[in-house]
Amino acid sequence: MANNGTIQVGVIGAGRIGKIHAENLATRIPVVAAAAVADIDLSAAQELAARLHIPRACSDYRAILADPDIQAVAICSSTDTHARIIVEAAQAGKHIFCEKPIDHDLAKIDAALAAVKQAGVKLQIGFNRRFDPNFRKVREMVAEGKIGQPHILRITSRDPAPPPASYVKVSGGIFLDMTIHDFDMARYLIGDVREVYTAGAVLVDPEIGAAGDIDTAIITLTFENGAIGTIDNSRKAVYGYDQRVEVFGSGGMVTALNRTPDTHLYSNPEGVHSAKPLYFFLERYSESFLAEMQEFIQSIQHDTTPPVTGEDGRAPVLIGMAAKKSYLEKRPVSIREISH
Ligand SMILES: NC(=O)c1ccc[n+]([C@@H]2O[C@H](COP(=O)([O-])OP(=O)(O)OC[C@H]3O[C@@H](n4cnc5c(N)ncnc54)[C@H](O)[C@@H]3O)[C@@H](O)[C@H]2O)c1
């Protein structure tokens, strides 16, 4: 911590999500100073730093790790870099916020978590949807017993438009790239998952199939506490980003609906019309990106456990692997088959 109590944070990766976190760190969290941005594309780092008046831009993240004045890093680079940078950042004594997923490989995840434990630094994983006020309310109501014993979870999670095939090829597949947020949401709302059963198809874009992935899926979940649930995913919902959850239980039901830019209803002879959902994750989850970073910083300030731990980062990767195995083998797969 600097003498004036400011926590200096370095941002690694100046792409889509790095821009969001850099802006929140630089302009919306008073106790933080965004001290540096690193990107292998130096011009991307320079552009972002200049826009947000961040004093330093570099192409090698190790310059950030070597700076003794920087206490924490936000790892926003491509997924294949996360595990390695976590290990190096932990060894350099930096607290770590890392985007999801930690990695696609369990051995690499375990090595990263071991390095964090050994160094005694904080690690928070970027499952931002937990910080969305609507989903948080659902979780609180479930935890308070307002719906009695949870019986059924439904998560609808559909993107407005598919990513390019080039992205799909290195994404780790739909379960580790997209559904991973829903697996985390399922754990957040109900608890640990025991078994999954997946149906999947290529219905949106044959290019996604050619890249070895699917674009449409339904995953049935069985939880350790006996509740059951479904997640349904599509890479393309023509009416926009469809993000809803519902928990039904012995004493009632709680639902979080889509958010729209405004709540007007226009009625005419053709029908009753309202605004489409907020377009995509940058718009829909902007509050949650800020809230997750604020809570990460608070965990450093108060020396508390971050709200989304390394274990919380590992668990949905296991579920994603089980979901893929279930799809390929056309049978229910226990999470224990993956972890042992
Ligand atoms: N939480 C969310 O909702 C959410 C949303 C989008 C992306 N993500 C995650 O964030 C990560 C980045 O995704 P994105 O969409 O911003 O990708 P992106 O391609 O827009 O940006 C990644 C950036 O990382 C840089 N980079 C790559 N290797 C680097 C290295 N060794 N050092 C420094 N910079 C490096 C690239 O040059 C690029 O600018 C991914 O892991 C993705 O899964 C999370």
Side-chain angles (χ1 to χ4, degrees), residues 51-81:
R51 180 162 68 79
L52 297 171
H53 308 291
I54 295 173
R56 206 158 126 212
C58 50
S59 60
D60 188 344
Y61 65 87
R62 284 170 294 192
I64 288 181
L65 301 187
D67 184 337
D69 290 334
I70 292 182
Q71 291 89 50
V73 291
I75 303 175
C76 309
S77 44
S78 333
T79 299
D80 60 338
T81 66

Side-chain angles (χ1 to χ4, degrees), residues 119-286:
V121 294
K122 314 275 179 208
L123 171 66
Q124 180 170 327
I125 306 302
F127 283 118
N128 58 292
R129 294 185 193 177
R130 291 182 178 220
F131 301 82
D132 175 79
N134 304 287
F135 297 153
R136 195 166 248 196
K137 184 73 189 170
V138 172
R139 148 112 167 179
E140 274 167 25
M141 294 184 78
V142 172
E144 286 163 7
K146 292 259 168 58
I147 60 141
Q149 184 72 26
H151 290 174
I152 300 174
L153 167 72
R154 288 169 65 121
I155 297 178
T156 301
S157 178
R158 305 174 190 151
D159 285 352
S166 57
Y167 175 94
V168 169
K169 278 184 192 137
V170 294
S171 68
I174 192 169
F175 303 116
L176 293 182
D177 179 54
M178 177 177 174
T179 328
I180 195 155
H181 277 292
D182 308 312
F183 295 137
D184 179 63
M185 185 53 55
R187 292 186 70 243
Y188 178 63
L189 295 177
I190 306 287
D192 280 326
V193 173
R194 188 168 66 216
E195 185 182 89
V196 295
Y197 192 19
T198 306
V202 180
L203 301 176
V204 171
D205 183 356
E207 290 276 306
I208 291 179
D213 201 5
I214 56 173
D215 53 36
T216 307
I218 292 187
I219 302 111
T220 306
L221 309 164
T222 304
F223 292 90
E224 292 286 4
N225 66 8
I228 54 179
T230 60
I231 295 169
D232 87 67
N233 289 148
S234 170
R235 284 288 196 183
K236 186 177 181 184
V238 290
Y239 50 86
Y241 197 34
D242 195 355
Q243 299 281 298
R244 292 170 283 147
V245 306
E246 179 181 289
V247 187
F248 168 86
S250 57
M253 179 174 80
V254 56
T255 305
L257 298 174
N258 281 321
R259 294 181 65 184
T260 51
D262 60 68
T263 58
H264 84 274
L265 276 183
Y266 168 55
S267 306
N268 69 0
E270 279 75 50
V272 179
H273 315 266
S274 64
K276 290 198 285 193
L278 287 165
Y279 180 66
F280 209 173
F281 66 91
L282 297 179
E283 295 84 3
R284 169 68 179 80
Y285 290 118
S286 60

